[in-house]
Amino acid sequence: MSNTKTATRFSVGVMTRIAILAAIASILFLIEIPIVAFYKLDLSDIPVLLGAFSMGAVPGLVILALKSAIGLLHSSSAGVGELADFIMGAALVIPAALVYHRKKSRKSAIIGMVIGTLFMTVFAVLVNKFIMLPFYMGAFHMDMDGILSFANVTGVDSEWKLLLLITAPFNLLKGAVLCVVTGLIYKPLSPLLHGKIK
């Protein structure tokens, strides 16, 4: 009986933390900082990383999925942007969490986040090429020249230049910002994230 109660409390505690982190992520998802062309930086994957580090990759993915699902309520891309965000977020979070949970240390957290950032950057290029750019060209009846004109970046005059000179560096920057902030606040928030404050 005691073990059952403990398991139930643990499950409820985990679900509560998942819900709180998903709510925070959803709010941060709405706050975007323009960086270059049509790319904007948001910090919504920080709560996802915090959840993945404290509870594991699966709870992290649940937080990410909830954030994306809530994002559908105010989507301006018929859900395509939220799908792309989920794919790229998963590419960051899964490697970071798996590496960290193999050996929980500051070094493994840093290595995991670096690997995750590299994965996210690769997936961002692929997602933009095969999902986002085709969607926006179809939605706004533009060809690639129209997209490049809209991006309005000097010297970027082809799809691959856009992907390799803008998309990839932007996502490396985004990953760096997410990982630095997560690294700075994880330890101070660790008791809350592990449900150790009563």
Side-chain angles (χ1 to χ4, degrees), residues 51-64:
F53 280 151
S54 60
M55 294 178 282
V58 172
L61 287 176
V62 172
I63 295 167
L64 180 63

Side-chain angles (χ1 to χ4, degrees), residues 11-102:
S11 298
V12 170
V14 168
M15 288 189 292
T16 300
R17 295 196 293 278
I18 286 174
I20 292 171
L21 289 169
I24 295 170
S26 299
I27 294 169
L28 292 175
F29 201 23
L30 298 173
I31 304 170
E32 298 178 320
I33 305 167
I35 300 296
V36 61
F38 34 69
Y39 292 109
K40 299 175 182 178
L41 175 66
D42 72 81
L43 303 178
S44 62
D45 283 335
I46 291 174
V48 180
L49 279 170
L50 293 173
F53 280 151
S54 60
M55 294 178 282
V58 172
L61 287 176
V62 172
I63 295 167
L64 180 63
L66 288 172
K67 178 195 78 168
S68 299
I70 294 170
L72 292 173
L73 299 176
H74 49 79
S75 177
S76 60
S77 61
V80 175
E82 287 69 29
L83 172 63
D85 179 78
F86 178 83
I87 293 171
M88 291 184 287
L92 168 66
V93 169
I94 292 174
L98 292 179
V99 171
Y100 175 69
H101 282 278
R102 286 190 66 183

Side-chain angles (χ1 to χ4, degrees), residues 4-15:
T4 302
K5 287 183 178 179
T6 301
T8 302
R9 282 199 298 269
F10 175 77
S11 298
V12 170
V14 168
M15 288 189 292

Side-chain angles (χ1 to χ4, degrees), residues 37-39 80 84 124-144 146-148 150-151 158-164 167:
F38 34 69
Y39 292 109
V80 175
V125 170
L126 297 175
V127 164
N128 273 269
K129 177 168 177 57
F130 296 109
I131 298 178
M132 295 305 296
L133 292 178
F135 167 77
Y136 282 114
M137 284 191 288
F140 296 102
H141 308 291
M142 292 190 293
D143 57 12
M144 181 51 61
I147 292 288
L148 295 171
F150 181 70
S158 70
E159 180 182 26
W160 280 109
K161 283 186 179 180
L162 176 65
L163 293 171
L164 298 179
T167 305

